[in-house]
Amino acid sequence: MAHEGILLGMGNPLLDISAIVDEEFMNKYDIKLNNAILAEDKHKPMYEEMASKYSVEYIAGGATQNSIRVAQWMLQKPGATSYMGAIGKDKFGEEMKKNSKLAGVNVHYYEDETAPTGTCAVCVIGGERSLVANLSAANCYKSDHLKKPENWALVEKAKYFYIAGFFLTVSPDSIQLVAEHAAANNKTFMMNLSAPFICEFFKDVQEKALPYMDYVFGNETEARTFAKVHGWETDKVEEIAVKISQWPKASGTHKRITVITQGADPVCVAEDGKVKLYPVIPLPKEKLVDTNGAGDAFVGGFLSQLVQEKPIEECVRAGSYAANVIIQRSGCTYPEKPDFH
């Protein structure tokens, strides 16, 4: 069984500001569907504009936090998961704390005095989403917070660690500390490619963390970007997944497994130089609400079984179940209890 604090996540806690928008809005701010970017100055006015022009929903988000909350929901055991990241001392931050506690996650936020809680614009058209993150306080996380005894205790207690690639832009030294701890103590360390821009512009810090990764998650676009950046002459997802799994490892305890989702197409799992494809649960187009959080939910479902030492096909099945639930709702939200057997 999953013991208390078995899974620890670290990342950028963001408040999702979600709305169905139109092409004109997307063009005005130069944003593309199925992408995730960091806000530049030209994007700053879009948050206000969304709130005044469209019907917006505010939902606790941030990639790692989504995955941890979904894993917690699937496990139905309060405190099985923990999470760290930085929020502001403001209304959104308070909201986030309340939300996470209700979800049963043991959160140890660093509360920044100067910056507001980070937000993420979720622009939805035809069920597909585009993400524009304004990190603010989330960008202020420091490894000093991680090293405090009450926080490092969460690291000591956990056996599994999951960190989205987005955190590489904030605190690579925190990632390194956790990665080295995992390798030294035969624990399982996992990351996500997270977005094409991470693979392109944070290549060095990503490569530094890669040897420690026992599981690498990502979607087909991120996998292809990773391959392109590393000069691999292929855009075949199965080949790329194998090559990522064969990247040198810091510790020989676990072999690396690569898990690549492909939307409605089968999930691609590479280990030992071989690939297995697992079909996802089909969903009629009219039932799709939005894809926001689908990849995060997949990881959350997957982790909920992994921490119980279930076989990989069960992990994938749980991931597909969780993603299927989330895409039928707005944002990364879920019903009270899972219906996964």
Side-chain angles (χ1 to χ4, degrees):
M1 274 305 290
H3 66 70
E4 194 184 307
I6 192 165
L7 171 63
L8 171 63
M10 297 183 75
N12 305 332
L14 305 172
L15 188 78
D16 282 355
I17 302 173
S18 179
I20 294 168
V21 301
D22 48 43
E23 293 288 348
E24 191 192 345
F25 184 84
M26 301 286 282
N27 295 336
K28 176 178 176 181
Y29 289 105
D30 189 26
I31 50 185
K32 293 170 185 59
L33 283 175
N34 293 317
N35 199 9
I37 60 171
L38 293 177
E40 297 167 36
D41 285 342
K42 67 177 179 185
H43 298 113
K44 296 284 161 75
M46 71 185 283
Y47 300 89
E48 285 297 318
E49 188 177 332
M50 276 175 83
S52 62
K53 197 169 168 185
Y54 305 104
S55 155
V56 299
E57 286 186 90
Y58 295 93
I59 307 159
T64 308
Q65 185 163 249
N66 284 345
S67 295
I68 294 296
R69 279 176 47 225
V70 169
Q72 179 60 52
W73 170 67
M74 291 282 286
L75 285 163
Q76 290 290 307
K77 187 180 182 223
T81 63
S82 311
Y83 175 81
M84 284 189 253
I87 57 174
K89 276 191 182 302
D90 54 17
K91 185 173 97 246
F92 285 165
E94 283 307 312
E95 197 61 26
M96 195 91 80
K97 278 196 285 199
K98 199 175 78 189
N99 241 308
S100 303
K101 291 206 171 85
L102 278 173
V105 180
N106 178 19
V107 290
H108 283 213
Y109 292 123
Y110 164 67
E111 293 182 46
D112 190 80
E113 302 280 347
T114 53
T117 296
T119 49
C120 181
V122 181
C123 309
V124 180
I125 294 185
E128 305 290 345
R129 59 87 178 133
S130 184
L131 307 176
V132 184
N134 183 15
L135 298 183
S136 290
N139 206 26
C140 302
Y141 192 85
K142 303 275 184 292
S143 56
D144 299 349
H145 178 261
L146 173 64
K147 290 174 185 162
K148 286 190 169 152
E150 66 272 27
N151 300 325
W152 190 255
L154 297 183
V155 177
E156 296 281 357
K157 201 176 205 176
K159 282 172 73 174
Y160 296 84
F161 302 96
Y162 174 69
I163 303 176
F166 294 120
F167 202 52
L168 287 165
T169 76
V170 172
S171 188
D173 53 336
S174 297
I175 295 175
Q176 207 59 27
L177 284 170
V178 172
E180 287 169 7
H181 167 87
N185 294 279
N186 296 339
K187 296 178 176 184
T188 303
F189 180 78
M190 304 169 277
M191 286 193 75
N192 202 309
L193 300 176
S194 288
F197 86 86
I198 299 287
C199 304
E200 289 171 311
F201 306 115
F202 293 87
K203 177 174 177 263
D204 296 351
V205 279
Q206 191 180 50
E207 280 184 9
K208 197 175 171 204
L210 194 58
Y212 294 93
M213 297 180 206
D214 300 307
Y215 284 80
V216 176
F217 295 94
N219 67 24
E220 74 280 43
T221 319
E222 294 148 11
R224 288 188 177 117
T225 305
F226 186 92
K228 200 172 87 193
V229 166
H230 290 89
W232 297 348
E233 300 288 319
T234 178
D235 66 353
K236 289 194 177 67
V237 170
E238 294 170 42
E239 285 179 29
I240 297 164
V242 168
K243 283 178 86 95
I244 293 173
S245 70
Q246 290 170 336
W247 193 283
K249 282 200 89 244
S251 121
T253 313
H254 311 286
K255 57 190 174 183
R256 182 179 302 110
I257 297 177
T258 314
V259 183
I260 307 293
T261 58
Q262 313 187 75
D265 293 327
V267 178
C268 172
V269 177
E271 62 175 310
D272 296 328
K274 293 188 215 39
V275 168
K276 270 195 180 157
L277 295 173
Y278 298 91
V280 301
I281 306 161
L283 185 75
K285 187 81 177 146
E286 64 274 11
K287 284 192 153 177
L288 174 70
V289 174
D290 70 53
T291 55
N292 180 27
D296 303 333
F298 174 86
V299 172
F302 188 102
L303 296 178
S304 73
Q305 304 309 298
L306 186 71
V307 302
Q308 299 179 72
E309 299 179 7
K310 296 279 168 65
I312 201 119
E313 50 272 19
E314 278 303 284
C315 298
V316 174
R317 195 168 72 84
S320 296
Y321 164 77
N324 183 267
V325 169
I326 263 78
I327 60 178
Q328 296 182 64
R329 303 167 68 93
S330 180
C332 197
T333 61
Y334 37 78
E336 194 190 341
K337 292 260 193 294
D339 177 25
F340 176 75
H341 305 291

